[in-house]
Amino acid sequence: MADERVSADGGMETSFGFREVGAGEKQPLVNDVFHKVAKRYDIMNDVMSAGLHRVWKDAMVAALNPPRRDDFRVLDVAGGTGDIAFRIIEASGRKAHATVLDINGSMLAVGAERARKRGLVDNLDFVEANAEDLPFAANSFDAYTIAFGIRNVPRIEVALKEAYRVLKRGGRLLVLEFSEVEMPLLDRFYDAWSFNAIPKFGKLITGDDAPYQYLVESIRKFPNQRDFAAMIRNAGFARVSFTNYTGGIAALHSGWKI
């Protein structure tokens, strides 16, 4: 499936899974997917990753290592349900402040309710906005995180430049995303699991396999680790690196604004 991937030169902006769509058509289609899965988003991630997303997210937050300071501000993009933001706040001893930004109001509603139940509302803001046009001043955040969301942004290069703009000098970008499996045999197993099992489980869980089919295809279209790292460098970030998780099923990308 590697030949399906776009390169660092782009192509995701007109790719809705394996289907080519016109300029400006992708975002409404993606929005519809997440409206459908919002209330079962955690279950969806368990299906997509066989439960490993929880381990990967913990590793992402450990890599960030948020300080126990109440002036530490993080922007978590495409994080409507709060999964990453909650982890960051807890890791900071409930000192950090997280702004959760998502283009999808259904996802944000789930996150706001979860935050209320966890007693975290004082540490959080929920903002409905587009990752390609962030409603924040330059140099506003100490960290920018996005987990399993960047591949759903039509113009990824624009979103990365916006990430660079709103980060303070010395700020860090962390992107967790499904990637290209680099372990022999595991790649074949994962392809078989993805295209045969995941949509079927999705239909059992939600009654609709179409969102899961899109999500599986979008993973195979997303640039591989090296091409995406090049996109991060092109946005202005320095000390760019990535770490593969579970043979490359997912990868954590890191970059700094210096």
Side-chain angles (χ1 to χ4, degrees):
M1 294 291 177
D3 58 337
E4 297 284 355
R5 295 186 184 277
V6 304
S7 71
D9 296 327
M12 291 293 285
E13 64 274 13
T14 57
S15 166
F16 182 70
F18 292 160
R19 176 158 63 100
E20 287 297 305
V21 297
E25 293 181 6
K26 179 176 179 175
Q27 191 65 68
L29 292 169
V30 171
N31 289 349
D32 185 58
V33 166
F34 285 93
H35 281 305
K36 290 178 179 177
V37 303
K39 291 183 179 180
R40 298 174 182 254
Y41 185 67
D42 285 341
I43 297 174
M44 180 196 76
N45 279 334
D46 281 328
V47 171
M48 298 287 290
S49 70
L52 287 169
H53 73 101
R54 301 172 189 273
V55 177
W56 301 333
K57 288 173 180 175
D58 287 343
M60 179 187 195
V61 174
L64 178 63
N65 191 24
R68 292 175 175 257
R69 300 194 330 254
D70 56 15
D71 62 344
F72 185 79
R73 294 179 56 83
V74 58
L75 176 63
D76 184 45
V77 176
T81 63
D83 234 18
I84 296 299
F86 299 161
R87 283 172 164 82
I88 291 171
I89 291 168
E90 296 292 3
S92 75
R94 297 200 170 197
K95 295 288 187 180
H97 188 278
T99 297
V100 178
L101 182 139
D102 205 299
I103 200 170
N104 192 291
S106 298
M107 298 286 283
L108 289 168
V110 172
E113 176 62 16
R114 293 177 69 195
R116 185 189 64 78
K117 290 179 178 178
R118 285 166 171 74
L120 295 174
V121 292
D122 291 339
N123 299 83
L124 288 157
D125 293 319
F126 289 88
V127 177
E128 186 172 347
N130 193 324
E132 297 176 6
D133 186 18
L134 298 175
F136 309 112
N139 308 307
S140 295
F141 295 96
D142 299 287
Y144 176 117
T145 58
I146 181 168
F148 306 117
I150 195 73
R151 74 183 190 281
N152 298 309
V153 177
R155 297 184 297 166
I156 293 172
E157 71 284 356
V158 174
L160 290 172
K161 288 177 182 177
E162 276 289 270
Y164 187 88
R165 181 183 68 81
V166 301
L167 278 170
K168 299 174 184 177
R169 292 287 172 185
R172 190 178 188 187
L173 168 77
L174 283 175
V175 182
L176 179 62
E177 189 52 87
F178 289 108
S179 200
E180 183 173 67
V181 179
E182 296 185 336
M183 186 178 294
L185 299 181
L186 179 61
D187 56 346
R188 296 182 184 180
F189 170 80
Y190 188 61
D191 276 346
W193 165 257
S194 297
F195 287 98
N196 297 320
I198 288 177
K200 292 177 181 177
F201 276 112
K203 189 166 186 176
L204 286 172
I205 293 166
T206 66
D208 186 359
D209 61 353
Y212 291 82
Q213 188 67 39
Y214 157 71
L215 291 165
V216 168
E217 292 176 1
S218 69
I219 292 169
R220 296 313 188 279
K221 293 293 291 187
F222 188 70
N224 68 23
Q225 291 90 323
R226 288 153 193 83
D227 282 341
F228 185 57
M231 294 180 75
I232 294 173
R233 290 190 195 94
N234 291 342
F237 288 95
R239 294 168 57 192
V240 175
S241 63
F242 67 84
T243 302
N244 280 336
Y245 295 152
T246 319
I249 291 178
L252 178 65
H253 289 262
S254 173
W256 297 82
K257 181 176 178 177
I258 62 176

